[in-house]
């Protein structure tokens, strides 16, 4: 594996070229000063929008400010992410964040003002100035919120309570990230050491079962000890969400959570029901896992153990990029050529170095280009991460190129489609060309586990959220015992009877940060199912699906997420895309069993 002592050792070709945003720090400073001036100018519109002309002036200036601020903020953020220890970069980011708070405060008057207008008045303003046609759809979309926005005085009270209402999430974050102390595990020298999260993700995949068991017990130890405290924070978060839904006149907390994306609750309910109707293949996979590991009893700490021993693939970055490009050939010549350009144009920061932010992401910067952060480890996971992030990058590239600023950004609901289509095409390519039986089994196992984590587990989490919110809406108590019971029942239902339960299993709810961002996780599952549906048709040579998928990548947020997907032939208001994805899972499991 290629390792570098310092960032200076990394070839220029594998580092971001941030001069694409600002050629010098002086240019950044100029824009930073400009942001401050424009913020004051926007503030002056409070109480002074009384015609189509003044409304257009405000919206035009607000969009211009938003664009300039994005450049200022992203430049600072990317500089920090390549070396989080650099205090000069940190100071730039702090200044950018401060500017962001000022903008938010200066423009907070606008939404209450807009929703105080009636539609006839807004139409009159739009008729006065044709420049407002550009903003029309956005303005009227805001009107969807009209029945959920309170009077000016009530909004002020709710906004003052904002910090208090979000405190359960903050409290859990402090417990989970700062205060939690895991139990001890035995290190390679036979000494006891306190386990870390990083160690856990490695140890739970260890081939030695005793190592896995010890890591599992040490990981859950603090969560079980803090069960009542964490139950109290989660209960408060759920109840706060239910109260806000009531205050804002939503029929339920679930419908409040889905409102922004204009998704009917039937889509959410259909996802859960369809997954459970097709759960047999998941149970079958659990049985195969027990059999392959040669165990009398399959426990939760066996669910991530590798089923194919001794396979470790070394895939250098250059080879990984070439493999990805070949795998994505079904997406057409233009897609592949753009991908090749990205590598040479330094859109990707490739290597792990001291102080660099961990993980991977894509950031599409309008008017510049996508920036992709990797920490490439020359292994199979890194190859999949590369294909995943380049899916996001191509989505950003096409949307930014084909959409105006106002509709260029795409919603999280559709974001995972582009990344997962790439991963499905990649696994298909690798399986087709691989002749070594153990490697083929390893690839299949890798994809099945990803499928399980992104679809089945997220649907299980989504059902947990739905059940806990429903209890709160009925005024039922929520405590550790109630959470345990719901989580344990769901875990049994989704994983089948093959798993023998340890005491810790039922405490799974206590470690999930996503539960403090309600009704969000289902988007992973719908995105994954949509991508499986599309990639399967593209691989079958369906030209119409390919054309509509490439159009989808160019669409940004020019329509609501469900409608954008419908244009590709994926209708999430029906069970079909979920059924097709689960059928594919069943085929993968059978193929793995036969190998």
């Amino acid at each position: 594996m290629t390792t570098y002592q310092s960032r200076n050792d990394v070839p220029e070709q594998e580092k971001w070229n941030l001069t694409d945003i600002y050629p010098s720090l002086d240019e950044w400073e100029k824009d930073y000063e400009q942001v401050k001036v424009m913020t004051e100018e926007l503030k002056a519109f409070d109480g002074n929008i009384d015609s189509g002309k003044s409304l257009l002036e405000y919206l035009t200036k607000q969009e211009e400010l938003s664009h300039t601020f994005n450049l200022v903020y992203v430049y600072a953020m990317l500089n920090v992410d390549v070396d989080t220890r650099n205090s000069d970069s940190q100071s730039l980011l702090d200044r950018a964040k401060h500017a962001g708070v000022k903008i938010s405060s200066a423009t907070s008057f606008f939404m209450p003002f807009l929703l105080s207008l009636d539609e006839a008045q807004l139409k009159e303003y739009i008729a006065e100035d044709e420049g407002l046609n550009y903003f029309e759809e956005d303005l009227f979309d805001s009107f969807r919120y009209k029945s959920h926005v309170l009077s000016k005085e009530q909004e002020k009270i709710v906004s003052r309570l904002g910090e208090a209402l979000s405190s359960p999430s903050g409290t859990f974050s402090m417990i989970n990230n700062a205060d939690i102390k895991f139990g001890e595990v035995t290190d390679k020298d036979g000494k006891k050491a306190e386990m870390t999260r990083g160690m856990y993700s490695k140890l739970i995949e260890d081939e030695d079962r005793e190592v896995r068991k010890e890591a599992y017990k040490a990981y859950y130890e603090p969560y079980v000890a803090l069960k009542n405290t964490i139950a109290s924070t989660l209960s408060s978060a759920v109840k706060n969400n239910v109260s806000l839904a009531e205050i804002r006149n939503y029929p339920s907390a679930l419908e409040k959570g889905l409102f922004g994306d204009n998704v009917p609750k039937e889509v959410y309910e259909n996802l859960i029901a369809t997954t459970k109707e097709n759960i047999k293949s998941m149970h079958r996979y659990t049985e195969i896992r027990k059999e392959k590991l040669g165990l009398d009893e399959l426990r939760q700490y066996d669910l991530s153990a590798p089923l194919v021993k001794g396979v470790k693939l070394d895939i250098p970055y250059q080879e990984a990029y070439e493999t990805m490009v070949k795998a994505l050939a079904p997406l057409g010549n233009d897609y592949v050529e753009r991908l090749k350009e990205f590598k040479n144009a330094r859109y990707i920061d490739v290597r792990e170095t001291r102080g660099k932010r961990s993980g991977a992401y894509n950031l599409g910067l309008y008017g510049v280009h996508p920036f992709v952060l990797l920490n490439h480890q020359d292994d199979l996971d890194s190859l999949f991460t590369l294909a995943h992030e380049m899916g996001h990058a191509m989505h950003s590239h096409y949307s930014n190129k084909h959409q105006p600023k106002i509709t260029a950004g795409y919603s999280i609901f559709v974001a995972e489609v582009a990344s997962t289509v790439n991963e499905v095409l990649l696994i298909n390519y690798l399986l087709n060309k691989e002749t070594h039986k153990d490697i083929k089994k390893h690839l299949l196992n890798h994809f099945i586990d990803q499928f399980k984590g992104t679809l089945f587990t997220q649907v299980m989490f989504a059902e947990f959220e739905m059940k806990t919110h429903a209890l709160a809406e009925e005024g039922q108590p929520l405590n550790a015992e109630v959470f345990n019971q719901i989580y344990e029942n769901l875990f049994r239902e989704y994983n089948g009877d093959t798993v023998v339960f340890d005491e810790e299993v039922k405490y799974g709810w206590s470690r999930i940060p996503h539960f403090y961002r309600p009704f969000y996780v289902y988007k992973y599952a719908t995105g994954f199912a949509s991508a499986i549906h599309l990639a399967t048709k593209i691989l079958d040579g369906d030209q119409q699906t390919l054309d509509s998928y490439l159009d989808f990548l160019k669409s940004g947020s020019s329509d609501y997420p469900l409608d954008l997907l419908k244009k590709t032939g994926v209708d999430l208001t029906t069970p079909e895309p979920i059924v097709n994805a689960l059928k594919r899972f069943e085929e993968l499991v059978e193929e793995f069993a036969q190998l």
Side-chain angles (χ1 to χ4, degrees), residues 248-510:
R248 292 203 174 280
N249 304 312
Y250 288 97
S252 67
L254 173 60
E255 281 152 292
K256 173 180 170 282
L258 306 180
F259 188 81
D261 285 321
N262 203 21
V263 170
K265 72 177 173 35
E266 289 72 23
V267 169
Y268 196 96
E269 292 163 347
N270 160 53
L271 170 70
I272 293 170
T274 309
T275 303
K276 286 165 82 162
E277 280 160 20
N278 295 271
I279 202 78
K280 281 203 179 80
S281 53
M282 178 66 185
H283 297 170
R284 166 93 172 107
Y285 177 55
T286 315
E287 287 160 13
I288 292 168
R289 178 166 273 286
K290 179 185 172 185
E291 188 188 310
K292 297 283 177 205
L293 291 170
L295 298 171
D296 295 332
E297 291 181 339
L298 186 76
R299 305 259 175 180
Q300 195 185 1
Y301 47 80
D302 301 317
L303 298 181
S304 301
L307 298 185
V308 187
K309 295 190 176 171
V311 175
K312 189 151 175 29
L313 301 177
D314 182 46
I315 312 167
Y317 177 65
Q318 182 67 31
E319 186 191 324
Y321 211 95
E322 286 165 11
T323 301
M324 172 187 69
V325 167
K326 286 176 192 159
L328 300 181
L331 295 177
N333 208 31
D334 185 71
Y335 192 99
V336 166
E337 289 308 312
R338 292 294 84 76
L339 263 187
K340 289 178 185 168
E341 285 169 17
F342 283 13
K343 180 170 180 280
N344 300 327
R346 296 174 58 192
Y347 292 3
I348 311 164
D349 206 272
V350 180
R351 299 293 170 185
E352 183 177 37
T353 48
R354 273 178 68 81
K356 185 176 172 180
R357 175 178 162 158
S358 62
Y361 65 70
N362 159 70
L363 195 149
L365 188 57
Y366 195 88
V368 187
H369 57 70
F371 288 86
V372 175
L373 178 128
L374 301 173
N375 281 277
H376 198 82
Q377 302 292 332
D378 294 351
D379 58 14
L380 185 66
D381 277 339
S382 291
L383 168 58
F384 274 91
T385 300
L386 174 67
H388 182 101
E389 295 306 334
M390 297 317 285
H392 288 312
M394 289 299 291
H395 196 175
S396 296
H397 163 77
Y398 280 127
S399 282
N400 287 351
K401 187 177 169 190
H402 293 273
Q403 294 294 323
K405 284 191 194 101
I406 198 164
T407 52
Y410 46 82
S411 92
I412 289 171
F413 190 95
V414 295
E416 292 308 318
V417 175
S419 50
T420 311
V421 162
N422 279 14
E423 290 193 63
V424 179
L425 296 179
L426 174 62
I427 192 75
N428 181 75
Y429 173 80
L430 293 173
L431 287 170
N432 281 343
K433 78 176 191 63
E434 189 52 65
T435 52
H436 192 291
K437 194 175 173 184
D438 277 354
I439 295 178
K440 199 160 188 167
K441 280 196 289 189
H442 178 66
L443 289 167
L444 267 175
N445 187 202
H446 181 278
F447 193 52
I448 290 168
D449 281 339
Q450 188 203 4
F451 214 124
K452 179 187 150 190
T454 315
L455 202 142
F456 290 99
T457 303
Q458 304 306 328
V459 174
M460 182 180 85
F461 288 168
E463 188 171 1
F464 178 85
E465 288 188 289
M466 192 169 77
K467 283 179 180 293
T468 51
H469 279 79
L471 285 177
E473 282 162 347
E474 290 162 13
Q476 299 290 327
L478 290 178
N479 51 42
E481 207 173 306
V482 173
F483 290 141
N484 280 356
Q485 197 179 348
I486 295 171
Y487 194 88
E488 182 174 348
N489 290 343
L490 288 173
F491 195 92
R492 285 183 189 280
E493 216 177 327
Y494 281 79
N495 289 279
D497 298 332
T498 310
V499 184
V500 175
F501 270 50
D502 287 270
E503 178 64 14
E504 290 85 354
V505 171
K506 63 187 177 197
Y507 293 99
W509 58 268
S510 64

Side-chain angles (χ1 to χ4, degrees), residues 395 398-399 402-403 544-556 558 564 567-568:
H395 196 175
Y398 280 127
S399 282
H402 293 273
Q403 294 294 323
Q544 193 181 342
T545 299
L546 175 60
D547 293 343
S548 63
Y549 174 65
L550 294 172
D551 283 342
F552 162 80
L553 295 181
K554 297 168 187 170
S555 301
S558 59
L564 287 174
K567 290 170 192 169
T568 68

Side-chain angles (χ1 to χ4, degrees), residues 21 71 74 91 108 160 227 247 314 320 365 413 416 474 501 516 587:
I21 311 175
L71 296 175
V74 168
S91 144
S108 65
R160 281 184 185 157
K227 60 181 184 285
I247 289 166
D314 182 46
L365 188 57
F413 190 95
E416 292 308 318
E474 290 162 13
F501 270 50
Y516 297 84
E587 289 164 7

